[in-house]
Each structure stands twice: as C-alpha cells, then as structure tokens.
Amino acid sequence: MFLLATQAAAQAHPLGNFTINHLTKLSFGADRVDVRYVLDMAEIPTYQELRTGDDAGTSPAALQRWAQRTAGRLLPQLRLSEAGTAVPLILDGASAHTRPGAGGLPTLYLRLDAHGALAPAATARALSYRDESFPGRLGWHDVTVAPATEPTHELTAYPNALLGSPRAVTGVDLTVQPSGAAAVRTSIDESANGSVPASAPLVRSNQLSDMLAHGTNDWGFVALTFLVAIVLGALHALEPGHGKTLLAISLVGARATVKQAAILASSLTIAHTIGVLALGIAINLLKGYFVPESIYPWITLLSGVAIAIVGARAVQRQLQARQPLVHVHPHPHPRAHAHDHAHVHHPHGHDHGHDHGHGHAHDHGHDHSHDDIEHARLHAIPGTAPLTFGSTIWAAMSGAVAPCPAALVVLLAAIALNQVTYGIFVIVAFSAGLAATLTGLGIAVVRSAGWLQSRRGFERFVKYGPLASAVVISTIGAVLVGQGFAQEGIRVSPLVVSAITALAIAGYAFSHPFAHRPMQSAA
C-alpha cells in the first residue's frame, strides 16, 4: 500500500505546490507575429482558482469557460511593442484541462494562441515583449523566440537538472528582419535582478496527501498514514531551516531541564498545526485575493524581529549582571535591630563582613578556588541565565508557525475530499514528528550542557557562556530580519539591514543605566 502511495506522489507538481508557471513562444513572419502562451498552475493556486468565479468546477464546459475568461484577462498583460508603440494582440483560441496532482488535487493547464499584425518594413525593426502575468509568483517563467526551443515541451516535462533553479525570463528585446527572422538582443531575467522573492524549498514530499486520499475505509492503512506522517514530519525537521541552531542556543541560554525541553514538543506541535490551519482558512476565505507563499517572507521578518527582541533583552541582562557587584543594603532583622552587610565580590573569592547594630561583629572569609567544580555549578543556577524558558518557547514557536507546504496540501486535500477531521489529525501527527526531532535535539543539547558542567574548565563557560549565547541569539534575529526584507523584495542589501538591526540591539542593550537595585528600607 505504501508503494502505491509513493507512486501516486510522483504525479505531484515537480516545482512545488505553490508554483504558477508560464511560458511564451514567439514566432515572426514578414507582416505578423504569432504568440503561444502556456500556463501551468500547481495544486494550491489551482485550488484557489477553481473556487473563484461563476465557472468553478472541473467539467469540460466549466474549464472552457474558465479558459476563455482567463485568456481575456491575460492577453492585455502580454505586451508586444515596436519602437515604443504597442502592437495589439488578437486572441485566436484558448483551451484548458486538468492533470492529477498531490492528494487527488488537480493542477490546471491553459494554452492560448494569439497574433498581432506588423506593418511591412524594408529594414530591420526593433521589438520588445513583456510577460506581465502573475508578477512575483514562484515558478518557471520563460520566453522563447523561434527557431529557438525550450526544454519543458510547453511546461509538460520539467528537466530534473533545472528544478533547483527554474528559469525566470519574463521579457525579451529583439531585432526582426524584413523576412521575419528574429534575433534576441537582451532577455529580462528576474532571477538576475533579484525581483523573485525567496521562499521555502519548492520540492516537498507529497506521499502524505496521496495516502490521505485513500480515505478511512481501511483502518490498517489509516494507522500507516499516521505513522508515515510522524516519520515525514521528523525528516522534514532535518531539512535546512526550522531554527535548529536557535533552539539549541536558547535551551542552553535558558539552562532548561530535560522536562522543559519535552514541554517544548507540545508548544512546537501546536504552533505548526495552528500555522497550517490558519493558512488553509485564509486560502479558502480570501480565495483569489490571497497569495499563499507571500506569508513566508512575513513569517521570516516577524520571527526575526521577535528573536532580535529576545536576544536584545538577554544581552542587556547580561551586561547588567557584569557590573561591579559592590552594594550596601539594610534590611530588617527578626529582633528589630538593623544590620548592614557589605559584600565585596573578588575575582577569586568572597569576603563578607557583617556589622550588627547591637555591637556584635562577625567576619567571614570564604575563598572559593576557580578549580572547584562545585563552585562553577553554583554559579550556573537558573536566574543568572540570559533567557527565561518562556522566552525560549516563544522564540522557537515563532519559527515553527511557518506551515510546511506538504502539510498544507494535506489540509486542502482533506477539504476537497470532505475529510477535514481526518486531515487535521494527520497534520497533528506530522507536526508531532517535526516537534519530536527538534525537541530530541534540544534534550541532547541540555544533556550535553549538563555533562560539560562536570568538566574541568567549565567555570570559563559559566563566566562567558551566557553572554555568548545572548549575542548568538541576537545575531540570528538580526540575520532573519535581513532575510525577511530581502524576501519581501525590498531592494536593500540584507547585510545592511542585519547590520542596522544589530546596531539597534546594541543600542537597546546599552541604553538602560546599569544601576543597582534601590536599597530596601528597614522596618
């Protein structure tokens, strides 16, 4: 049964569930240009498109109505011009059909043909073409001019070698001879000028959605589906991203226990499940007005801001803790007489002098060698940690809330199959597998930190480790902010944004006066 599901997954869109792929083929004659435009929508945009407008549905008649309506909308966005003057394009015909995708969801395929008239010319002419359809959407975008060919056979077979870097050509400037022979002078490549926003990895495993499409009639297969969901979630956590470095540093910074690391699993499961459900609700309610993949740059940016704030507060707390610890504080004695303690903490030991108001004086001299491991362990108690466990949970959840596209396809497939409850439980299992891997990493880190505490020389880590972990967390936040701005298409270097964020963190950390706590009045 699992092999059948794996074979069905091969039908999923090779470029990813979010992609909208389009191709234009131009061919020129002496007095005309012929345009063929091909559109290939993956599962998620197809899901949105087929629920928008009066022609929703997948019957041949509904698809033909959709093709005519979409062709009329797209044709004005295919702009051909000669020496700055627009060349009108006339629609010759349009057709559409669906193909099977992940989890039983269809993908849409549209082909339209059009032509434009060119005035006779005795010399070479300069023309330009721009495909302005679906700007900024992820996918394969290409423009070819006959007799050149393209490698996808009109978006029906994508070369495996190019899946990681799909073409992003949306326009050409060319020279056309009187005979109709054309030569491309320049190509407008979005990937070269950075206008294509970064996103989550395009290629995802779709076995889970295909297994869900088999339904709930076979309980053995249902159990296998939950098991596969947990395994795929665990494997998904091993992919790049998911804040594994942040999670490890945060747990060390909070000096979390194994129990706290286990609590983190529930938090991450809830965060990821909520993220998938929220995005699925937005896709269904907002339909054609919402671009699903646009949420990921915002999640990156907001996560970066949240983590930067957590890191800035941790750095500020550590700087305060490293001020000279010389203070005097009176406090009430059980017998109502004041006694003052003067504490001077020396680098290699503690001397305490106590002067009691009733005339008794006690001098205690304690010398704790830095070679004393127990002394180092005492200084590693919670309370001197740069982070609280609560802030660790929020930092980890801010990254886990980003929904995996494969889990989102599971939800949409469940909605289409009217098995929403089943789909939600499968997503929870997937999220649990993801959280289990991340939490296992966290427990390993916590155990390693505990082992280090028994090693000689650990006191150096005690002295500098909390500040170092706070700085690392702040750095991660600053980098994520820079990446978020870049993914939003803002034309500012991510390094510049990250540097500005780092300066803001430093400014916050040093902005608060490092004052000692005010003296408590004696009662």
Side-chain angles (χ1 to χ4, degrees):
M1 291 184 294
F2 179 72
L3 292 178
L4 291 176
T6 304
Q7 292 172 357
Q11 298 176 340
H13 200 286
L15 280 175
N17 310 122
F18 283 123
T19 56
I20 294 181
N21 312 279
H22 40 104
L23 161 72
T24 302
K25 300 174 71 174
L26 303 173
S27 59
F28 291 88
D31 58 356
R32 66 178 283 156
V33 56
D34 291 300
V35 179
R36 168 162 288 187
Y37 176 91
V38 181
L39 175 67
D40 175 29
M41 287 186 170
E43 291 88 352
I44 292 176
T46 295
Y47 181 92
Q48 290 182 285
E49 192 69 28
L50 292 180
R51 284 160 175 75
T52 304
D54 299 330
D55 51 345
T58 58
S59 67
L63 289 175
Q64 186 58 35
R65 290 194 302 269
W66 177 82
Q68 292 295 328
R69 178 177 64 87
T70 303
R73 174 169 55 91
L74 290 175
L75 202 58
Q77 301 176 33
L78 310 180
R79 301 184 183 276
L80 181 68
S81 61
E82 179 180 359
T85 302
V87 177
L89 296 178
I90 300 171
L91 181 65
D92 295 325
S95 62
H97 64 271
T98 60
R99 296 181 289 188
L105 294 175
T107 64
L108 268 172
Y109 186 86
L110 167 74
R111 181 186 290 121
L112 72 83
D113 292 295
H115 74 274
L118 298 175
T123 59
R125 67 181 84 198
L127 288 93
S128 66
Y129 172 81
R130 299 291 184 270
D131 177 3
E132 298 179 356
S133 62
F134 304 103
R137 295 301 296 263
L138 300 173
W140 184 287
H141 311 149
D142 200 7
V143 178
T144 63
V145 180
T149 60
E150 51 85 26
T152 67
H153 303 286
E154 296 190 352
L155 305 184
T156 60
Y158 297 90
N160 290 331
L162 299 178
L163 293 180
S165 55
R167 291 187 179 178
V169 177
T170 59
V172 291
D173 296 321
L174 40 88
T175 301
V176 181
Q177 301 297 331
S179 63
V184 176
R185 298 195 312 272
T186 59
S187 296
I188 309 303
D189 192 336
E190 288 185 335
S191 62
N193 59 33
S195 60
V196 176
S199 70
L202 291 177
V203 180
R204 296 294 192 191
S205 171
N206 291 287
Q207 285 97 334
L208 199 54
S209 53
D210 290 294
M211 295 181 74
L212 179 137
H214 282 71
T216 58
N217 294 328
D218 185 343
W219 285 102
F221 194 87
V222 170
L224 178 63
T225 300
F226 285 121
L227 178 62
V228 171
I230 294 172
V231 172
L232 289 179
L235 293 175
H236 176 62
L238 297 177
E239 296 178 0
H242 303 292
K244 290 185 281 290
T245 302
L246 171 68
L247 179 65
I249 295 296
S250 298
L251 286 172
V252 171
R255 298 200 177 101
T257 63
V258 172
K259 180 180 179 180
Q260 288 175 322
I263 292 173
L264 197 59
S266 299
S267 303
L268 294 174
T269 302
I270 293 171
H272 187 262
T273 303
I274 289 176
V276 174
L277 296 179
L279 188 52
I281 291 172
I283 288 174
N284 280 276
L285 294 182
L286 301 179
K287 296 181 179 178
Y289 304 100
F290 175 67
V291 180
E293 66 267 30
S294 66
I295 194 68
Y296 290 91
W298 282 108
I299 290 176
T300 300
L301 180 58
L302 295 178
S303 296
V305 171
I307 293 167
I309 292 173
V310 170
R313 296 180 64 182
V315 172
Q316 193 262 342
R317 189 179 299 116
Q318 285 303 302
L319 291 178
Q320 285 184 331
R322 277 163 170 71
Q323 292 305 294
L325 299 179
V326 179
H327 50 274
V328 176
H329 55 274
H331 57 83
H333 190 277
R335 297 190 178 183
H337 57 270
H339 74 231
D340 298 335
H341 301 272
H343 307 283
V344 179
H345 291 231
H346 297 287
H348 299 284
H350 305 313
D351 292 327
H352 307 285
H354 305 275
D355 183 15
H356 295 263
H358 54 355
H360 299 283
H362 307 281
D363 291 329
H364 308 283
H366 308 284
D367 183 86
H368 302 285
S369 170
H370 274 287
D371 292 332
D372 189 344
I373 299 301
E374 185 61 26
H375 177 68
R377 292 174 62 87
L378 289 174
H379 277 266
I381 60 174
T384 60
L387 296 175
T388 63
F389 182 63
S391 64
T392 299
I393 288 182
W394 284 111
M397 289 178 66
S398 67
V401 76
C404 168
L408 181 59
V409 171
V410 168
L411 177 62
L412 298 184
I415 294 173
L417 297 169
N418 198 27
Q419 296 181 345
V420 177
T421 302
Y422 180 34
I424 291 176
F425 277 109
V426 171
I427 292 169
V428 170
F430 181 92
S431 302
L434 185 150
T437 298
L438 295 180
T439 306
L441 171 65
I443 291 175
V445 169
V446 171
R447 290 290 192 186
S448 298
W451 177 82
L452 285 174
Q453 287 185 6
S454 63
R455 305 296 94 187
R456 293 180 62 86
F458 178 72
E459 65 275 5
R460 294 183 179 178
F461 175 81
V462 170
K463 184 175 182 180
Y464 300 108
L467 180 60
S469 64
V471 171
V472 170
I473 292 168
S474 301
T475 303
I476 293 173
V479 170
L480 287 176
V481 171
Q483 291 177 349
F485 271 87
Q487 292 174 9
E488 286 293 341
I490 299 175
R491 296 181 179 275
V492 179
S493 170
L495 293 177
V496 173
V497 176
S498 297
I500 293 174
T501 305
L503 289 175
I505 292 172
Y508 173 84
F510 286 98
S511 64
H512 292 68
F514 301 141
H516 305 297
R517 293 180 180 178
M519 292 190 302
Q520 302 173 2
S521 58

